[in-house]
Amino acid sequence: MAEGNRHWLDQDPALDKQIIFWIQSVHFLISEAEIWDRLGNSKNYAETIHRLQRAMDNVYQLIVRLLEKDNE
């Protein structure tokens, strides 16, 4: 998806960096949630899942923004 819209990302490097940042954040938070789950720490697990959901919402919003550029 992103590579198909590379021309838009090249024109908007801040959007490109934001997408990369939030995808990396999602990867990190998934790993963190797995650790809290293995340790049986349900409070930290729930907090991490909440942060993960927010990060995924950010990725979604940025991708929508990118796709909207393609429809302009």
Side-chain angles (χ1 to χ4, degrees):
M1 188 280 315
E3 289 307 315
N5 292 297
R6 172 60 41 202
H7 60 283
W8 295 119
L9 294 173
D10 290 341
Q11 292 177 13
D12 191 348
L15 178 59
D16 188 28
K17 288 181 196 279
Q18 287 178 321
I19 291 171
I20 291 168
F21 171 82
W22 285 111
I23 288 175
Q24 289 173 338
S25 296
V26 165
H27 288 176
F28 171 80
L29 291 166
I30 289 170
S31 297
E32 184 178 348
E34 289 172 344
I35 291 168
W36 291 127
D37 185 45
R38 267 190 254 126
L39 294 174
N41 189 322
S42 59
K43 179 181 180 273
N44 285 348
Y45 176 81
E47 289 172 2
T48 302
I49 292 299
H50 178 70
R51 291 181 11 234
L52 175 59
Q53 289 171 329
R54 285 192 353 237
M56 290 173 60
D57 286 343
N58 287 330
V59 170
Y60 175 77
Q61 290 171 11
L62 291 168
I63 290 173
V64 166
R65 221 166 90 193
L66 178 62
L67 293 174
E68 286 173 348
K69 287 178 177 262
D70 213 26
N71 292 325
E72 291 177 354

